[in-house]
Amino acid sequence: MLNLNGITVRLGGRVILDRATAALPPKGRIGLIGRNGAGKSTLMKVMIGQFDPDEGSLEMPRSTRIGYIAQEAPSGTTTPLEAVLAADTERAALMVESETCTDPDRLGEVHERLMAIDAYTAEARAARILVGLGFDEEMQGRPLDSYSGGWKMRVALAALLFSEPDLLLLDEPSNHLDLEATLWLENFLKSYPAMMVVISHERDLLNNVVDNILHLENGKTTLYTGGYDSFERQRAERAAQLAAAKAAQDAQRAKLQDFIARNSARASTAKQAQSRVKALAKMQPIAAMSEDPSLSFDFPSPDELKPPLITLDLASVGYADKPILQRLNLRIDPDDRIALLGRNGNGKTTLARLLAAQLAPMDGEMNASGKMKVGYFTQYQVEELDGGDTPLQHMTRQMQGASPGAVRAQLGRFGFSGDRATQQVGKLSGGERARLALALITRDAPHLLILDEPTNHLDVDSREALVQALNAYNGAVVLVSHDRHMLELTADRLVLVDSGTAREFSGSIEDYTDFILGRNQSKGGENGKSGNKKDDRKAAAQAREKEQQLRKEAKAAESELARLTAERGAVDQAMFDPSTAAPKLAKLTMGELMKRRAELNEAIEVAELRWLEVSESLEPA
């Protein structure tokens, strides 16, 4: 059991946690979520004792072993395997003692304890964890100093998982992982035997791993049972109830105020008016659930270009005369949504840079439309933003010659309107800086968006907004991401970058997940192929022909579902804050809004059923 008892933390004069209270169940799997800057990492630092709360307390059993990744990655000449083995401090000490101890009785105790903690299989267990996180046998034996910071953080994560603490604390564990390692981690955490608290914005991880959601908002914590989808449903219901209660209270307040105004001056009704004054004073205001109107992604639509945008014909690409990828055959059309799959280091970023014309083909041909404009997003662009400048200054430099109104309009598409446009970049959150980088690369309305891990700094709500914006965007998209939810909702073509080349993966993200985790192998190897290339090509052609019509129907159903969901979101916004509502909704009463929301819920259920029917038809038998 882990209890938060009225925890308050102030940093720099600002209240981060405001009497946060929750009782977390024993061996619970807790997903700690909230908007960027809500205080999730602060709360986790209270749990490990790094921060002492200004008020309140945290209760847990005294013997609890807490596991948490330090901010500094491991380094030195130690190998990844050695670093992971050293994380089990009891085993390491006992192994040393077993070699130096001369007391037979004590030596017997040492060996008995080593057997009890399964010490002699430790190396195999450590190696399995490292393999899951992307380290093959050769990589496990190289010194840590030969790795980048991201790979070192993988070693730190492996060491933490190997040590099996009683309370496992993970702060965005998938940030340094590719999709393949993220899938492995999710599978590993499903069977973790002790309590865990995970800060994550990965919807699939939260749905598949945790059994409770601890939501942090405005310094307060609320515990919800179930995964993320369950949390969203419960919160939407709570929001609707709060909105209805607030509307009823506002009406009652207005009625009381009107009675007081009309009757205070009359002697015959003064006492009644005075009682109304007391009732009004005792009425605790109900606050509507807060929404962030600045949460915005809106990609400008490009001019139409004839297909194809890009074709690769037996192209090779690499660095310093050393090819990384060869025999590339790929065509990209204006309406394509392509996800690049494959482990980090296999060449996804190299292929993305080739498509963005940052690298020239070393061999073969690459043909691109002469009028095509490309927007290419990487994490480096986020990190290289000048912290002393404002979003307005950044955009003004990039849009030289454009009117101030046009510059402001492009910033407004991504939530930087009014004073937000003149706030220093150094004071923006990671998610806000990512939004600014996206605003900068799309200033010219590109025909092709290439996004390399765009979600690393985005919270769940921001990721959902990005998904909706990508689906509304009229250009082509090439996406590299470990966020499976985003890939499932935005990509209709999968390209696997592996073994020095790139090829179409004809299955779904779910098929790829099964392939990575070694499930459904009875289908005949990767993606259910027979092993006969001629038969495979024929079967694939037939499958594509059969799927074409179904995919059109699925896309239409998905568009209808997105439209209805967006309308429901607008109705919710009108219920929460009428001042920001669309004009046609602002005119409706609360009762009319609730009626319209119920109608939309029914329509969404019908659309979801149709989408599921078509999607199931597309799934492999």
Side-chain angles (χ1 to χ4, degrees):
M1 178 71 76
L2 177 64
N3 291 332
L4 312 177
N5 301 318
I7 291 177
T8 298
V9 174
R10 301 178 184 88
L11 297 175
R14 176 172 164 246
V15 177
I16 306 299
L17 301 175
D18 184 10
R19 290 165 291 178
T21 300
L24 307 184
K27 293 193 175 181
R29 301 163 178 275
I30 315 299
L32 177 54
I33 69 168
R35 287 282 177 85
N36 288 335
K40 302 183 295 296
S41 295
T42 300
L43 180 55
M44 191 163 277
K45 287 174 181 175
V46 170
M47 292 179 184
I48 65 172
Q50 187 173 335
F51 284 171
D52 290 325
D54 296 296
E55 299 172 21
S57 63
L58 184 143
E59 295 177 1
M60 70 175 75
R62 288 186 179 181
S63 59
T64 301
R65 293 184 303 114
I66 300 175
Y68 179 77
I69 295 180
Q71 290 184 343
E72 290 188 7
S75 59
T77 58
T78 301
T79 68
L81 184 59
E82 291 168 344
V84 172
L85 288 171
D88 187 342
T89 54
E90 182 187 11
R91 174 191 174 275
L94 289 172
M95 291 297 286
V96 171
E97 189 175 359
S98 70
E99 296 175 358
T100 58
C101 181
T102 57
D103 181 348
D105 292 334
R106 173 56 186 162
L107 190 59
E109 293 174 359
V110 168
H111 282 292
E112 186 176 338
R113 180 58 183 162
L114 285 170
M115 291 289 289
I117 64 174
D118 206 14
Y120 298 107
T121 64
E123 188 167 330
R125 287 186 283 114
R128 280 198 297 272
I129 293 174
L130 284 167
V131 168
L133 294 176
F135 293 85
D136 60 26
E137 187 175 354
E138 183 272 332
M139 294 174 69
Q140 293 178 28
R142 282 164 43 190
L144 288 172
D145 282 346
S146 66
Y147 289 101
S148 66
W151 283 96
K152 288 179 181 178
M153 291 308 296
R154 290 194 188 202
V155 175
L157 175 59
L160 176 60
L161 298 177
F162 177 74
S163 67
E164 289 193 354
D166 302 319
L167 173 58
L168 176 64
L169 302 177
L170 297 172
D171 190 347
E172 288 288 355
S174 60
N175 261 5
H176 300 284
L177 305 181
D178 50 30
L179 174 60
E180 292 73 13
T182 300
L183 290 171
W184 177 89
L185 176 64
E186 180 183 304
N187 202 50
F188 181 91
L189 293 179
K190 284 180 183 178
S191 58
Y192 190 75
M195 184 177 184
M196 71 173 75
V197 178
V198 184
I199 297 175
S200 178
H201 300 304
E202 302 283 344
R203 182 187 289 258
D204 288 290
L205 187 148
L206 292 170
N207 277 328
N208 296 330
V209 172
V210 309
D211 51 27
N212 286 269
I213 294 289
L214 185 63
H215 183 225
L216 182 55
E217 184 178 38
N218 297 326
K220 309 287 188 183
T221 49
T222 306
L223 189 65
Y224 297 81
T225 58
Y228 187 82
D229 287 349
S230 175
F231 153 75
E232 273 202 331
R233 286 193 297 271
Q234 293 177 66
R235 188 164 183 255
E237 291 168 1
R238 182 167 170 256
Q241 292 167 358
L242 275 177
K246 185 176 186 302
Q249 187 188 69
D250 288 345
Q252 184 183 4
R253 184 183 296 275
K255 188 175 180 181
L256 288 172
Q257 289 172 335
D258 179 64
F259 184 92
I260 293 166
R262 287 187 293 104
N263 295 281
S264 293
R266 298 181 187 176
S268 60
T269 57
K271 288 185 177 179
Q272 295 177 3
Q274 189 60 33
S275 69
R276 301 297 198 280
V277 170
K278 292 179 180 178
L280 190 62
K282 291 179 180 179
M283 188 180 292
Q284 294 295 321
I286 298 173
M289 294 181 73
S290 61
E291 295 293 317
D292 185 358
S294 70
L295 186 64
S296 177
F297 295 90
D298 181 15
F299 299 112
S301 295
D303 299 330
E304 288 190 15
L305 287 181
K306 293 181 180 180
L309 295 179
I310 296 177
T311 57
L312 298 177
D313 185 9
L314 295 176
S316 297
V317 63
Y319 307 91
D321 297 327
K322 180 182 178 182
I324 302 297
L325 300 172
Q326 301 181 73
R327 303 184 65 80
L328 297 171
N329 293 300
L330 183 66
R331 169 177 168 144
I332 300 178
D333 288 334
D335 60 348
D336 270 332
R337 297 288 194 275
I338 299 173
L340 300 185
L341 307 176
R343 288 193 177 275
N344 283 355
N346 282 2
K348 298 191 300 291
T349 296
T350 300
L351 178 53
R353 293 189 65 193
L354 173 66
L355 298 175
Q358 290 190 0
L359 293 174
M362 300 168 64
D363 197 6
E365 292 186 5
M366 173 176 169
N367 296 306
S369 173
K371 296 181 180 180
M372 180 183 65
K373 291 177 286 189
V374 178
Y376 182 31
F377 173 92
T378 72
Q379 288 301 314
Y380 299 110
Q381 292 163 325
V382 178
E383 295 164 3
E384 291 172 0
L385 291 170
D386 189 332
D389 282 350
T390 66
L392 184 59
Q393 290 171 320
H394 277 281
M395 191 62 72
T396 300
R397 280 198 300 271
Q398 295 294 327
M399 296 179 65
Q400 290 185 9
S403 67
V407 172
R408 287 269 188 178
Q410 175 62 9
L411 286 170
R413 287 176 174 273
F414 292 82
F416 295 101
S417 55
D419 293 341
R420 290 177 178 270
T422 56
Q423 186 176 4
Q424 280 192 335
V425 169
K427 296 180 180 179
L428 300 178
S429 69
E432 289 170 326
R433 289 195 293 271
R435 262 195 288 133
L436 176 57
L438 286 166
L440 291 169
I441 67 158
T442 58
R443 64 190 181 278
D444 295 328
H447 303 89
L448 171 62
L449 275 180
I450 302 174
L451 307 180
D452 194 343
E453 294 292 358
T455 64
N456 274 359
H457 297 285
L458 301 182
D459 56 37
V460 183
D461 292 334
S462 298
R463 293 180 186 209
E464 202 63 34
L466 179 57
V467 166
Q468 294 177 16
L470 287 174
N471 285 333
Y473 171 61
N474 289 332
V477 177
V478 174
L479 182 63
V480 178
S481 177
H482 63 262
D483 188 323
R484 195 157 76 255
H485 176 73
M486 172 168 285
L487 295 180
E488 287 173 335
L489 293 186
T490 59
D492 52 27
R493 285 177 62 193
L494 306 179
V495 173
L496 178 58
V497 182
D498 188 29
S499 302
T501 190
R503 63 187 185 277
E504 296 276 348
F505 187 89
S506 60
S508 64
I509 287 291
E510 186 177 353
D511 295 325
Y512 185 67
T513 300
D514 290 341
F515 169 57
I516 291 300
L517 297 178
R519 298 193 294 240
N520 297 341
Q521 292 301 303
S522 60
K523 289 183 178 181
E526 178 189 337
N527 206 28
K529 295 181 179 178
S530 68
N532 184 304
K533 293 184 179 180
K534 184 176 179 180
D535 289 346
D536 285 341
R537 284 196 297 270
K538 183 178 179 181
Q542 291 173 341
R544 283 194 296 271
E545 186 177 349
K546 182 179 178 181
E547 287 178 2
Q548 188 174 14
Q549 183 59 35
L550 285 172
R551 288 193 183 279
K552 287 181 181 178
E553 292 180 25
K555 196 165 187 178
E558 187 176 346
S559 297
E560 175 67 4
L561 186 58
R563 184 189 68 77
L564 292 168
T565 303
E567 185 177 349
R568 184 175 66 181
V571 170
D572 287 342
Q573 182 65 33
M575 293 169 68
F576 299 151
D577 187 359
S579 66
T580 63
K584 65 178 181 179
L585 295 175
K587 298 176 183 178
L588 301 180
T589 65
M590 179 59 65
E592 291 170 330
L593 287 170
M594 294 185 73
K595 180 182 178 182
R596 180 55 184 156
R597 194 180 194 281
E599 293 170 348
L600 287 168
N601 278 337
E602 291 181 6
I604 286 171
E605 286 183 9
V606 173
E608 282 179 340
L609 182 60
R610 176 57 185 154
W611 179 78
L612 284 170
E613 288 174 349
V614 179
S615 298
E616 286 174 0
S617 299
L618 284 167
E619 290 180 0

